Amino acid sequence: LNGVELERLAGVMLTAEVGLKDYGQIPTWNPYIGTGEPFLNNPFNYLFNPFSSLPILLFGGVAGSKIALGLGLLALYQADFSPQWFSAAVRLADTILTSFADPSGGFYDTAQGQEALIARPKTIQDHATPSGNALAAELFLRLYAFTGDDRYRVAAEGPLLAIQDTAARYPTAFAAWLCALDTALGPQTQLALVGAPDEPAVLGVALNEVFIP
């Protein structure tokens, strides 16, 4: 269930994010799941089914779903600079820190206080979709770059330090971790858009026309 929920919800957010950022609209086709599937023209899509998506996104159960949503919200914030996206990403990140953290490092797949399990799962290795812990490292690194809040830096650096040797030996099994390591170690370009409330959005349109990896 964990893998299916993560894959579906991450695919939904990625499709909506790319469509809004690059084309100004949500697409009708999702090329990121399997060989592709209908998106807006699928009435059973998670995007339209609050009974499937909202309980997971709002109340938890699967850390990876929340983290993928948080990354999607940050991407939306960078696309239109609406503070609601950023505030929502911060709330999700803080929920992950308080409800999913493993005292020994990293994050569990299930929240505290949920139905008792024989063992709380903790996904480390990446598969067809990234592991929740790799996504968490990426999310917290990006939030640290935005906020300067050391809680996010510490939350990201511990798991990254623990996994770096294994990821270097088996890169194809830890691709998302290596992306997070690149975010942590590589140079970051930060731009500040200053002006009247309606001006940053106009400047952002010009900025999004330039590829800045």
Side-chain angles (χ1 to χ4, degrees):
L1 186 59
N2 175 25
V4 172
E5 287 177 345
L6 172 57
E7 178 181 343
R8 292 290 168 177
L9 290 169
V12 166
M13 288 305 301
L14 179 61
T15 302
E17 168 198 330
V18 172
L20 286 171
K21 184 175 181 180
D22 294 349
Y23 305 104
Q25 61 185 9
I26 298 177
T28 59
W29 182 260
N30 181 359
Y32 298 104
I33 293 181
T35 56
E37 64 178 31
F39 193 64
L40 277 188
N41 50 0
N42 175 11
F44 299 102
N45 193 298
Y46 268 26
L47 193 68
F48 298 123
N49 190 346
F51 296 103
S52 295
S53 60
L54 287 181
I56 298 169
L57 300 180
L58 296 179
F59 304 111
V62 182
S65 301
K66 287 183 174 293
I67 299 164
L69 176 62
L71 288 168
L73 290 168
L74 283 183
L76 289 173
Y77 171 66
Q78 291 176 273
D80 67 4
F81 304 102
S82 176
Q84 63 179 334
W85 307 128
F86 185 78
S87 298
V90 169
R91 289 196 299 270
L92 282 173
D94 290 345
T95 298
I96 295 164
L97 286 175
T98 57
S99 299
F100 292 87
D102 177 0
S104 65
F107 300 91
Y108 290 113
D109 294 340
T110 57
Q112 294 178 0
Q114 291 189 276
E115 182 179 354
L117 301 173
I118 297 175
R120 290 177 71 184
K122 180 179 175 183
T123 307
I124 300 297
Q125 184 176 336
D126 298 322
H127 297 282
T129 53
S131 71
N133 276 270
L135 289 176
E138 184 72 34
L139 173 63
F140 292 133
L141 287 170
R142 295 191 187 190
L143 282 174
Y144 173 66
F146 276 114
T147 66
D149 190 331
D150 275 339
R151 294 181 305 142
Y152 300 134
R153 177 185 59 79
V154 172
E157 287 184 353
L160 284 172
L161 288 171
I163 203 69
Q164 61 180 346
D165 291 339
T166 304
R169 290 184 63 188
Y170 309 103
T172 56
F174 297 92
W177 284 103
L178 292 174
C179 289
L181 278 169
D182 181 68
T183 300
L185 299 175
Q188 296 184 3
T189 301
Q190 297 190 18
L191 300 176
L193 303 181
V194 181
D198 58 335
E199 289 179 349
V202 176
L203 295 172
V205 171
L207 175 62
N208 286 333
E209 293 177 350
V210 181
F211 177 66
I212 306 177

